[in-house]
Amino acid sequence: MSKRFNFLDYIKNGGNKPFVSLQIGGGAGFDTKLAGKKWITETTIMDTIRAYETVGCEPLINIPLCEFDKFIPELKRQTITQENIDKKSSESSLESPFGQLYWKMNEIPKEGIVPLVYPVNSNDPAAFDKICWYAEQFHKAGKYIQELMGPEIFMIHEQDAPVCIQWNLQPFEMLGLTTVDQLVMLAMLEPEKFRKTCDIVRDVNLDILEQVIKTGADFVFLGGPGSEMLSPKLYQDFLIPDSKIITDSVHRLGGLIYSHICSPVEPFLSMGFYNQMGIDLFETLSPPPVGNVTDLAKARKTDLVANICTRGNIGLDVLLNGTVEDVQRAVEEIWQATKGSKHMIAASDYLFYDIPLENVKAVVDMAEKLSFNS
């Protein structure tokens, strides 16, 4: 059975043996280290694929939505970059009819990109106009996705791996133009404008995801990082209804939905919010100090519906600082807590640069021992 088919089959049907799919890539750096590189932005898809092969677990390859500025001049940013031995800096700007959009980012070796300035904030009277203008430019993007992403998706499938396309799909995220705290401020200060803007962003993203799935993507990434900062009301007013529209569309097209929250998920987990969002693969149900789920067995078997496949939950602290024996013990505890459920043994987040390879391999080796004894 191919690895890609094996992964997709487990998402849909589960299995009776431990299934390991550690999170490699995602800008975290473990694949960068194995490739002998220090700048995470220089990591290639093949670096990530080779890292999965080295570890020996089931792959899921995340790639970003392509850039469209080649075909849509309005999205062409002016960018200035600087580099020295310990930092890369970039400043980008984009002119809109409502004022300039400006980004500033730093990259640190082995650590990745740190955004310093986002182009939209709640103090800007033109915030919603800028977001809507930016979103509307992407209405022109769909017809270029096959040309721009088809070869990359085909290459990943040729390497026998499923692929997930990741961008700011969740309308609440406002296309990644602002921080989570500013999203909350915008939603609370101007709920009607925020709702109308969400509708525009959602419709644009529905057009894009249709072309992404038709081009061959197995998953689209629903979003989630930072949503633990939200109130239940914001979930009920924005994230749940918009997610359901998006996931229904993805499922009609034959695709799957992947969502990732690597920090506290309570109380939304026990309130059943994730069950309402149409998610196929959800991570992670992590214990403290990474998350706040104290009973994995209850979370998996009671709080989440059976058709959702989960992925996790070995703490990055254990993988980074623990012994091989600590890692093996964590794998066995996760297996015992999730046996009989659709759960992939993995980490609490994407693997950091400095996590020892022997600890990562210990996850796979222990799962094989448990599989032999099950």
Side-chain angles (χ1 to χ4, degrees), residues 126-254:
F128 290 108
D129 292 323
K130 289 179 179 178
I131 295 168
C132 291
W133 175 84
Y134 188 75
E136 286 164 359
Q137 307 316 305
F138 286 90
H139 266 309
K140 314 163 192 174
K143 59 186 176 181
Y144 304 118
I145 288 175
Q146 177 74 44
E147 176 182 349
L148 292 171
M149 303 205 71
E152 192 170 46
I153 293 172
F154 178 79
M155 183 271 288
I156 295 169
H157 286 168
E158 283 284 286
Q159 298 296 319
D160 200 17
V163 60
C164 176
I165 309 301
Q166 184 168 347
W167 77 98
N168 294 103
L169 176 61
Q170 173 59 250
F172 189 87
E173 295 175 342
M174 295 283 139
L175 296 168
L177 294 176
T178 188
T179 60
V180 176
D181 60 326
Q182 291 296 304
L183 287 171
V184 173
M185 292 297 294
L186 287 166
M188 298 300 290
L189 291 170
E190 300 275 4
E192 291 185 9
K193 286 185 179 179
F194 198 94
R195 177 66 266 169
K196 290 178 181 178
T197 307
C198 277
D199 292 345
I200 291 170
V201 173
R202 184 196 62 217
D203 291 346
V204 167
N205 279 337
L206 286 172
D207 289 345
I208 292 173
L209 72 83
E210 179 175 2
Q211 298 307 315
V212 162
I213 296 295
K214 287 181 177 179
T215 304
D218 301 291
F219 294 84
V220 293
F221 187 81
L222 181 62
S227 56
E228 71 277 6
M229 295 176 62
L230 308 185
S231 69
K233 177 173 172 53
L234 289 177
Y235 255 91
Q236 292 167 322
D237 289 351
F238 297 101
L239 270 75
I240 292 174
D242 284 345
S243 294
K244 197 66 176 70
I245 292 170
I246 289 167
T247 57
D248 283 348
S249 180
V250 171
H251 292 153
R252 280 195 302 270
L253 293 163

Side-chain angles (χ1 to χ4, degrees), residues 317-372:
D317 53 335
V318 176
L319 288 166
L320 183 63
N321 300 314
T323 64
V324 166
E325 290 74 22
D326 293 332
V327 173
Q328 291 173 332
R329 188 161 45 251
V331 172
E332 184 165 15
E333 289 172 356
I334 290 169
W335 170 241
Q336 294 301 326
T338 60
K339 191 186 298 185
S341 304
K342 291 196 295 185
H343 183 82
M344 298 178 172
I345 296 172
S348 58
D349 202 349
Y350 278 78
L351 301 182
F352 293 158
Y353 192 100
D354 289 326
I355 287 176
L357 177 59
E358 59 266 27
N359 278 359
V360 179
K361 284 189 171 182
V363 178
V364 179
D365 293 342
M366 187 61 185
E368 288 178 354
K369 291 178 183 178
L370 293 170
S371 180
F372 181 78

